[in-house]
Amino acid sequence: PMSIDIKDMPQIPSDAFSTAEPPAVNDAEYATAEQAAKDAPDSVSVYTHKFKKPVTFEGCTFDELTFDFGRLTGNDSLAIEDEMEAMNKPVIVPTFSGQYLTRVAARACTTMLTSSDGKQRRVGADVIMALPISDYSRIRGRARTFLLKSEL
């Protein structure tokens, strides 16, 4: 019979089967974001994002989007949480959830998009998610900064 020496077995870390949840937010990431919020001007509630080149989404072309985060209410936050629960994506820490922040930005966007045939539509999360990642990240970051600033 073949024998296996336990010393030759790969060692499994003692916490490999731990049921403890990893932290929802990295402490360093939170500290950086909180400092950015503290350093942000009080006028952080209104932001106009200008694109390097025009963006077209479903026939609507635009070169800037304006966001008024200050017009949002608790009802907006709760509606976003309900929407995410319905998608089976519960919100643990809203200020660090890309899905949550994307929806906050969409609700805060005051720009109406007009297609070539004259139809108007609001900017939804679908528009925000389809943006180039550098623009998406800036807009998401502004939503995060606004929320963190409002908690200070």
Side-chain angles (χ1 to χ4, degrees):
M2 191 171 121
S3 68
I4 298 174
D5 189 340
I6 192 122
K7 291 190 307 275
D8 296 332
M9 298 290 292
Q11 293 302 303
I12 297 170
S14 60
D15 62 348
F17 302 105
S18 167
T19 56
E21 289 284 318
V25 177
N26 173 308
D27 287 340
E29 182 185 8
Y30 185 82
T32 301
E34 189 176 45
Q35 189 58 52
K38 285 179 180 163
D39 295 343
D42 288 331
S43 61
V44 75
S45 67
V46 176
Y47 168 62
T48 298
H49 184 84
K50 296 186 187 316
F51 296 89
K52 289 182 183 78
K53 58 184 187 192
V55 173
T56 301
F57 181 85
E58 292 182 359
C60 302
T61 301
F62 49 96
D63 57 8
E64 67 178 41
L65 293 175
T66 298
F67 302 87
D68 182 0
F69 296 106
R71 75 188 193 127
L72 299 178
T73 67
N75 285 327
D76 290 301
S77 180
L78 294 171
I80 292 168
E81 286 185 33
D82 289 346
E83 188 180 330
M84 291 181 59
E85 288 281 338
M87 297 183 325
N88 261 341
K89 296 183 179 194
V91 181
I92 311 298
V93 183
T95 48
F96 288 88
S97 163
Q99 292 280 354
Y100 182 88
L101 293 170
T102 298
R103 285 165 175 74
V104 165
R107 284 176 176 260
C109 190
T110 58
T111 306
M112 291 294 287
L113 301 183
T114 306
S115 62
S116 53
D117 61 3
K119 287 195 180 116
Q120 283 206 317
R121 67 163 281 183
R122 293 188 52 93
V123 170
D126 56 342
V127 176
I128 306 292
M129 289 187 265
L131 296 174
I133 195 163
S134 60
D135 296 295
Y136 165 80
S137 295
R138 294 276 291 283
I139 292 166
R140 188 191 63 202
R142 288 297 183 123
R144 174 182 291 161
T145 297
F146 172 76
L147 291 175
L148 286 171
K149 183 113 182 138
S150 65
E151 293 173 6
L152 296 176

